Amino acid sequence: MPSLLCLRVLTLSEYDNIVELPNSIGNLIHLRYLNLSNTGIKRLPSTVCTLYSLQTLLLAGCWSLFELPADMRKLINLRHLDCSGTQIEEMPVQMGRLKSLRILTIFVVGKSTGSTIGELRELSHLGGKLSILKLNNVVDGTDALQANLKNKKDLNELELAWGSEDADHSEKVRGVLDKLQPCMNLEKLTVKRYGGTSFPNWLGDSAFNKIKVMHLEDCHYCFELPPLGQLLALKELFICKMKFLRTLGPEFCGQPFQPFQSLEKLEFKEMAEWEEWVLSGSGGPKFPRLQELILKQCPKLRGNLPCDLPSLKKLIVKGCGVLHDQRATATTNTSTSLNYNCLEELEIEDGCQTGLLSLLETKLLSNLYIRHFNDIQCLPNINRLKSLILSNCPTLLSFPEDGLPTSLTSLDIYRCRRLEFLPHEMLAQLTELDSLTLWNSCDSMRSFPFGIFPKLTTLIIRNCESLESLCLIEEEGAVENLSHLNNLNIEGCPNLVCFPQGGLPTPNLTQLCFSRCEKLKSLPERIHTLTALRLLDIRDLPNLESIADDGGLPPNLRYFTIEHCERLRASSSSVGDWGLQELVSLEEFIIGGRGNDEILETLLKQQLLPTTLHYLRIKELSTLKSLDGRGLAHLTFLRSLSIGRCDSLEFLRGEALQHLTSLQELYISNCPSLQFLPEEGMPPSLSYLHIYKCSGLEKMYQNKTGQDHWASISHIPCIRINDEVII
């Protein structure tokens, strides 16, 4: 079509089923912008290189793309080429001829047939971000000098990365990095997998007064860091996997009286042999503006952190087992006090950093996360905490003697089985608590005091094996206290049998979930009075015998799930009492699991599902042999139907499926006994059919065998069998 040939912009991004372009793409001679980002494209046809007007080619996130067309040099008007997130192994030859390029996100140095790094010399107008990959293919420093990075004044981000194979730590590698010195305008520098034993002099030179971010990653053989304290504009520094570095000394700071004067975030990660952090004693604070300090997986680091961090707001220490451990640092001075008066967030994990416990009394501390903390039985007093997370503290027995701060709004406790839950009088002081999670914790707790927190909105109790009841406390205002609760989730409490008598006095509850409570026989009474409830999720309740027998389900439900409740009554009268037909707001219904086959059959036989339903999921019904479409015919608003893991399903009777005039998506998975789809055909509205791990259907439809059967689905625009799109 003439109008198509005049096309200037073509965007196909996010279509992961697109694996190739037709050769006819070359006919779009006026095309200036082509976006194939995040597609499944595996190759570009050579005719792309005849699009001489093309200015922008976006290939970001094309993980299946391993090469560019050989004649890329012909696209002389190309200004923007984004190949980030691809698997391109080397650049085509003569890339230096693309002198109009302004943005080139990656350049992969070729080993023999591809472009050498010298091709970058001619690309003098490159700006933005450039990643030069596979620098191990550069011959020597003289070869690297040909890239002329020093004169690329528009570059503000540069990544220099060697290959993933064993790093070459010869003098040649240091010479390559030395000659790749960038322009002084650079704002962000990343060096990855550099194999030299030391860094060149330019890295850390104070003349680079615009660098704000620096990452040094996998530089295994370097035994010391450059004087990065001299970079006056540096705000963020990330150092990772320097396995030969044992001591971080004064050379890290350099010559300034006040090093790192702009640094706001400092992170060390996976420094396997790092043992000491020694700072010079002269001058003022070494990190006067540091707000965030992160240490992760530095198992040999001992001694103290910098003692004077006046601006620090966030401290994370993970996997640093001997840092601040007084037993492991008996020969060092551990009495140095930490000046972290602005600290707001503290996260300690995997260790015995008893020296850091003094920070819990910092006046501004509002968020505390303690995980895998050994040899502590009682938490010290905490001042103004708002959020507290305790996880995997096997020896922790009790909270602070004075209780938790009344300012606390969020409390999460995971795998602290020996911890005694707070006594009643201390719980009553938590008047600001908004969210409470108990998970595999507080084994001695048999009853939870329902209604004690006046502002609680979320209550999650999981895997608390001793819990037997939710008990409404007999105090004035207890019922009113529950007016804010909107999310109640009880899971994995096998001994839970009792709810407050008369039901849950939670008028604003919007989400209610019960799962893996083996002794539970019924849901809370008068569940129909929960008029604000939007989501009801019932799973793995093997002894549940009834739901909603005293008034039906909550009238404004939107999402309803029932799975693996094998003792539920399946008689039409009992299921009819649920009042599903009256749920005019219900959009999604999920049913499946042991014993629920008869419930589904009753629902379909009596057409008890509400006509407003948009999404229906049927799963794990082991005895279901036939699904009669007549029970679905009244669901004229149904958009999506999913059938999965129904091993015995043999027939999908579909004469009534054609009445589902809104059905757009049909998913059928793990139904090995299903041999074919309804011969009567599918609804004309159906736009997507996905068949997954259904051996009978695969045999029938994958190769379009059986023309009569194929004709019944051939009108569907997109048919996917397993991971292959076949139409």
Side-chain angles (χ1 to χ4, degrees), residues 214-491:
M214 183 174 293
H215 288 208
L216 302 178
E217 305 178 32
D218 297 295
C219 301
H220 288 313
Y221 299 99
C222 286
F223 52 84
E224 67 176 12
L225 288 168
L228 301 179
Q230 300 179 156
L231 302 176
L232 301 183
L234 190 64
K235 290 188 175 183
E236 180 179 323
L237 177 58
F238 176 75
I239 299 171
C240 175
K241 293 184 179 179
M242 292 183 61
K243 66 180 181 181
F244 269 43
L245 187 142
R246 287 178 168 78
T247 301
L248 192 60
E251 77 285 344
F252 180 47
C253 296
Q255 298 300 321
F257 174 77
Q258 193 176 73
F260 297 107
Q261 63 180 255
S262 299
L263 194 66
E264 296 177 356
K265 181 178 180 180
L266 175 60
E267 180 172 357
F268 293 95
K269 183 179 179 181
E270 297 182 59
M271 308 285 282
E273 300 298 325
W274 184 23
E275 297 178 357
E276 289 185 291
W277 189 352
V278 181
L279 295 172
S280 62
S282 61
K286 303 301 180 294
F287 304 94
R289 297 185 180 178
L290 191 66
Q291 298 182 22
E292 189 170 342
L293 175 59
I294 301 173
L295 301 173
K296 294 181 179 179
Q297 283 74 53
C298 304
K300 295 185 178 181
L301 182 62
R302 63 180 187 269
N304 294 294
L305 297 174
C307 61
D308 193 10
L309 299 177
S311 301
L312 194 68
K313 294 183 178 180
K314 182 176 182 179
L315 173 62
I316 298 177
V317 181
K318 294 184 178 182
C320 305
V322 296
L323 178 66
H324 271 283
D325 183 5
Q326 296 178 5
R327 297 166 305 174
T329 57
T331 60
T332 65
N333 177 20
T334 59
S335 62
T336 305
S337 61
L338 300 176
N339 176 21
Y340 296 176
N341 293 330
C342 290
L343 192 66
E344 297 176 359
E345 183 174 345
L346 175 62
E347 185 172 341
I348 313 172
E349 181 176 331
D350 298 314
C352 306
Q353 298 91 355
T354 53
L356 296 178
L357 291 180
S358 62
L359 294 175
L360 300 189
E361 298 183 13
T362 304
K363 292 182 179 180
L364 298 181
L365 188 65
S366 59
N367 298 290
L368 175 61
Y369 181 5
I370 298 178
R371 184 182 182 194
H372 290 298
F373 204 91
N374 300 313
D375 298 332
I376 180 173
Q377 296 185 352
C378 178
L379 288 177
N381 289 329
I382 309 167
N383 287 322
R384 300 182 179 181
L385 213 58
K386 291 185 177 179
S387 173
L388 173 60
I389 301 176
L390 301 172
S391 178
N392 292 83
C393 300
T395 62
L396 185 62
L397 300 177
S398 63
F399 290 101
E401 293 182 2
D402 295 337
L404 293 174
T406 58
S407 57
L408 200 66
T409 61
S410 176
L411 175 60
D412 299 292
I413 305 173
Y414 304 94
R415 299 181 182 89
C416 300
R417 306 192 71 97
R418 299 177 66 186
L419 180 63
E420 288 283 339
F421 201 51
L422 285 167
H424 183 99
E425 60 273 12
M426 289 186 178
L427 289 175
Q429 296 175 9
L430 302 180
T431 56
E432 300 297 320
L433 196 67
D434 174 82
S435 175
L436 173 60
T437 297
L438 300 175
W439 196 327
N440 279 95
S441 297
C442 306
D443 280 355
S444 62
M445 184 178 68
R446 297 183 178 276
S447 177
F448 182 84
F450 213 47
I452 200 169
F453 306 111
K455 294 186 178 180
L456 194 69
T457 64
T458 299
L459 174 59
I460 300 173
I461 303 177
R462 292 184 177 176
N463 301 341
C464 294
E465 297 183 357
S466 300
L467 182 67
E468 297 176 357
S469 66
L470 299 181
C471 180
L472 186 64
I473 61 172
E474 297 181 2
E475 288 186 6
E476 184 179 354
V479 173
E480 289 77 7
N481 285 350
L482 288 166
S483 62
H484 292 89
L485 191 67
N486 55 47
N487 183 2
L488 176 59
N489 189 321
I490 310 293
E491 178 180 339

Side-chain angles (χ1 to χ4, degrees), residues 599-658:
I599 292 177
L600 177 64
E601 291 178 4
T602 301
L603 292 173
L604 297 182
K605 183 178 180 180
Q606 302 294 326
Q607 290 194 340
L608 296 177
L609 293 174
T611 59
T612 57
L613 208 61
H614 290 171
Y615 306 95
L616 175 60
R617 308 282 185 261
I618 300 169
K619 55 191 291 190
E620 299 180 74
L621 297 178
S622 58
T623 64
L624 183 69
K625 291 187 176 181
S626 175
L627 187 62
D628 193 339
R630 287 176 296 183
L632 305 173
H634 65 295
L635 303 178
T636 55
F637 291 97
L638 195 68
R639 297 177 185 173
S640 178
L641 173 61
S642 176
I643 306 168
R645 297 188 181 278
C646 297
D647 295 341
S648 301
L649 184 64
E650 298 178 359
F651 303 103
L652 182 60
R653 305 188 186 280
E655 61 274 9
L657 289 180
Q658 294 182 339

Side-chain angles (χ1 to χ4, degrees), residues 550-583:
D550 57 350
L553 291 166
N556 295 309
L557 270 187
R558 292 183 181 176
Y559 312 98
F560 181 30
T561 297
I562 180 168
E563 296 183 23
H564 301 293
C565 301
E566 51 261 49
R567 294 192 66 180
L568 264 181
R569 300 290 182 259
S571 64
S572 59
S573 59
S574 177
V575 175
D577 290 340
W578 296 358
L580 275 170
Q581 286 177 311
E582 285 74 42
L583 301 184

Side-chain angles (χ1 to χ4, degrees), residues 6-301:
C6 294
L7 197 67
R8 283 172 167 76
V9 176
L10 177 59
T11 297
L12 301 171
S13 62
E14 308 296 336
Y15 287 94
D16 58 357
N17 56 322
I18 296 178
V19 296
E20 63 180 353
L21 295 177
N23 290 328
S24 58
I25 189 74
N27 296 332
L28 305 179
I29 58 175
H30 297 287
L31 197 65
R32 296 182 180 179
Y33 180 99
L34 177 58
N35 186 353
L36 300 172
S37 300
N38 300 307
T39 62
I41 197 83
K42 294 182 178 179
R43 57 173 293 274
L44 292 174
S46 59
T47 53
V48 165
C49 299
T50 64
L51 301 174
Y52 303 123
S53 298
L54 196 64
Q55 296 180 4
T56 299
L57 176 58
L58 305 181
L59 303 167
C62 297
W63 288 101
S64 299
L65 186 65
F66 283 84
E67 63 178 2
L68 293 172
D71 291 334
M72 286 290 291
R73 63 185 182 276
K74 295 181 179 180
L75 298 177
I76 57 175
N77 290 306
L78 198 63
R79 297 171 61 90
H80 188 164
L81 176 59
D82 187 352
C83 300
S84 56
T86 67
Q87 303 292 324
I88 291 174
E89 297 178 347
E90 62 180 9
M91 307 307 285
V93 297
Q94 298 183 2
M95 287 290 288
R97 295 179 60 178
L98 303 181
K99 297 182 180 181
S100 296
L101 272 177
R102 298 295 187 271
I103 300 293
L104 176 64
T105 55
I106 67 169
F107 184 93
V108 188
V109 181
K111 192 168 187 178
S112 55
T113 59
S115 277
T116 66
I117 196 170
E119 296 286 348
L120 289 171
R121 168 180 285 275
E122 304 301 325
L123 306 181
S124 57
H125 301 294
L126 287 181
K129 178 182 178 181
L130 171 63
S131 295
I132 307 178
L133 311 181
K134 294 192 177 180
L135 284 169
N136 44 293
N137 291 331
V138 177
V139 177
D140 52 29
T142 303
D143 189 20
L145 189 61
Q146 299 298 313
N148 196 25
L149 294 184
K150 204 169 186 178
N151 290 321
K152 295 186 181 351
K153 298 181 179 180
D154 294 328
L155 278 181
N156 52 48
E157 290 189 33
L158 177 64
E159 177 184 351
L160 303 173
W162 278 254
S164 57
E165 57 268 20
D166 289 341
D168 179 0
H169 51 279
S170 66
E171 282 298 313
K172 183 201 84 170
V173 175
R174 190 184 189 283
V176 169
L177 184 57
D178 188 28
K179 300 305 181 184
L180 290 175
Q181 178 178 338
C183 173
M184 301 296 182
N185 292 331
L186 203 66
E187 295 182 3
K188 180 177 180 179
L189 174 65
T190 299
V191 179
K192 289 184 178 180
R193 295 181 291 277
Y194 168 64
T197 56
S198 63
F199 291 99
N201 294 334
W202 65 262
L203 214 163
D205 191 325
S206 60
F208 284 89
N209 56 16
K210 293 185 179 180
I211 286 188
K212 297 178 181 179
V213 180
M214 183 174 293
H215 288 208
L216 302 178
E217 305 178 32
D218 297 295
C219 301
H220 288 313
Y221 299 99
C222 286
F223 52 84
E224 67 176 12
L225 288 168
L228 301 179
Q230 300 179 156
L231 302 176
L232 301 183
L234 190 64
K235 290 188 175 183
E236 180 179 323
L237 177 58
F238 176 75
I239 299 171
C240 175
K241 293 184 179 179
M242 292 183 61
K243 66 180 181 181
F244 269 43
L245 187 142
R246 287 178 168 78
T247 301
L248 192 60
E251 77 285 344
F252 180 47
C253 296
Q255 298 300 321
F257 174 77
Q258 193 176 73
F260 297 107
Q261 63 180 255
S262 299
L263 194 66
E264 296 177 356
K265 181 178 180 180
L266 175 60
E267 180 172 357
F268 293 95
K269 183 179 179 181
E270 297 182 59
M271 308 285 282
E273 300 298 325
W274 184 23
E275 297 178 357
E276 289 185 291
W277 189 352
V278 181
L279 295 172
S280 62
S282 61
K286 303 301 180 294
F287 304 94
R289 297 185 180 178
L290 191 66
Q291 298 182 22
E292 189 170 342
L293 175 59
I294 301 173
L295 301 173
K296 294 181 179 179
Q297 283 74 53
C298 304
K300 295 185 178 181
L301 182 62

